[in-house]
Amino acid sequence: MSTTADRLATAYVDAIEALCRVTPKGWYAERGTARAGITHAGVASLNAAFDLTTDPDLGALDELATEVARQVPHWSIMVRGAASAAVVDLAARHGLRERSVLPFLACATDDIVFRSGSTQRTLVRRVGAAENDRYTNALTESFETPDGAFGSLMGGAVLDTDGMTGYLAEESDRPVGTALGLRTPGVIGVFNIGVVPSARGRGLGRALTEAVLRDGIAAGADAAYLHSSPMGRPLYESMGFVLVDTWTMLAAR
């Protein structure tokens, strides 16, 4: 039987494949155990060649890295665990020398600690493709990225696609936070948790995360996963998430 980390790494790959196949300009490919997904967003982590097995296929990873580099200026190579010297050398040949650690957190849905008696959930609502622009603008502000950095990532039919649910947190009809749930069989992935700087510290990140998890559980998920920033990790751990793996991303400086 696969370990939790293996199962959820597979769920992540399936979710990224689904996203890349529906987002405008998206592209996805496989070679051996290596994978590549391109969204054309101006964010390196959203255009990647990756191999999430414990023994990456370096030849296939190199081939896909070459293809990704031809298509987008901002991209990365991603592996599970610490990058081996061979992976570091491969990335360096492609000009990727900046190394980042990506904590991979997960929990069984039975272990999630939901806030009791919360009124914050009323601030969060699901959004569909008709609000692509509103969602993308809020995402850009929440992650403090330049205008246009996310491109058409959330455009087209993404927010109307089965298994993909976008959320906005709003105050006085102004979007102040975002979330995205990517559901695969039995698993819910938590993405795009962000709150605009002026609204941080008021529990909105938790409210958004809870909304994704509640809908995932209602759809049958028994496990959840996410990648955490240092700022968000204490919140997720307070909700029952634990570190199950550490991934490495290599990108251009």
Side-chain angles (χ1 to χ4, degrees):
M1 181 180 292
S2 296
T3 66
T4 297
D6 289 340
R7 178 193 179 201
L8 297 183
T10 298
Y12 173 90
V13 172
D14 290 344
I16 294 302
E17 176 183 359
L19 178 62
C20 288
R21 291 194 185 282
V22 72
T23 187
K25 303 181 182 179
W27 176 86
Y28 178 83
E30 301 181 356
R31 301 278 192 285
T33 58
R35 306 286 184 264
I38 292 176
T39 66
H40 282 274
V43 180
S45 61
L46 296 175
N47 306 297
F50 56 96
D51 190 325
L52 301 183
T53 63
T54 55
D55 185 20
D57 182 337
L58 296 180
L61 188 61
D62 192 24
E63 289 179 15
L64 287 179
T66 299
E67 291 191 35
V68 174
R70 285 174 181 160
Q71 298 186 55
V72 287
H74 304 288
W75 67 287
S76 62
I77 288 174
M78 193 182 302
V79 294
R80 280 174 67 183
S84 67
V87 170
V88 171
D89 288 346
L90 185 160
R93 291 198 301 273
H94 289 279
L96 309 181
R97 295 182 173 84
E98 185 72 26
R99 200 179 317 190
S100 302
V101 173
L102 303 177
F104 191 61
L105 278 59
C107 65
T109 55
D110 287 345
D111 295 334
I112 297 171
V113 179
F114 288 103
R115 185 172 36 197
S116 61
S118 170
T119 59
Q120 287 278 19
R121 279 181 292 152
T122 60
L123 297 172
V124 178
R125 66 180 179 89
R126 301 184 195 98
V127 293
E131 295 185 88
N132 288 346
D133 290 344
R134 187 175 176 87
Y135 183 94
T136 298
N137 290 341
L139 185 67
T140 300
E141 186 177 356
S142 296
F143 281 83
E144 300 182 75
T145 57
D147 288 345
F150 288 105
S152 59
L153 172 68
M154 305 308 300
V158 171
L159 294 178
D160 284 342
T161 299
D162 185 43
M164 301 182 189
T165 308
Y167 304 80
L168 283 177
E170 294 175 319
E171 291 181 347
S172 302
D173 200 38
R174 173 180 175 257
V176 292
T178 60
L180 178 68
L182 295 183
R183 193 176 71 251
T184 52
V187 180
I188 181 67
V190 182
F191 294 81
N192 290 3
I193 300 295
V195 176
V196 303
S198 62
R200 290 173 186 164
R202 288 186 257 164
L204 290 174
R206 185 180 190 115
L208 286 156
T209 305
E210 287 189 357
V212 175
L213 294 171
R214 288 182 188 279
D215 285 351
I217 291 169
D222 61 29
Y225 68 85
L226 54 84
H227 278 117
S228 173
S229 66
M231 180 171 64
R233 186 167 173 177
L235 164 64
Y236 301 129
E237 290 179 338
S238 76
M239 296 179 69
F241 284 84
V242 297
L243 182 71
V244 295
D245 213 347
T246 301
W247 298 4
T248 302
M249 184 178 78
L250 296 129
R253 289 192 173 122

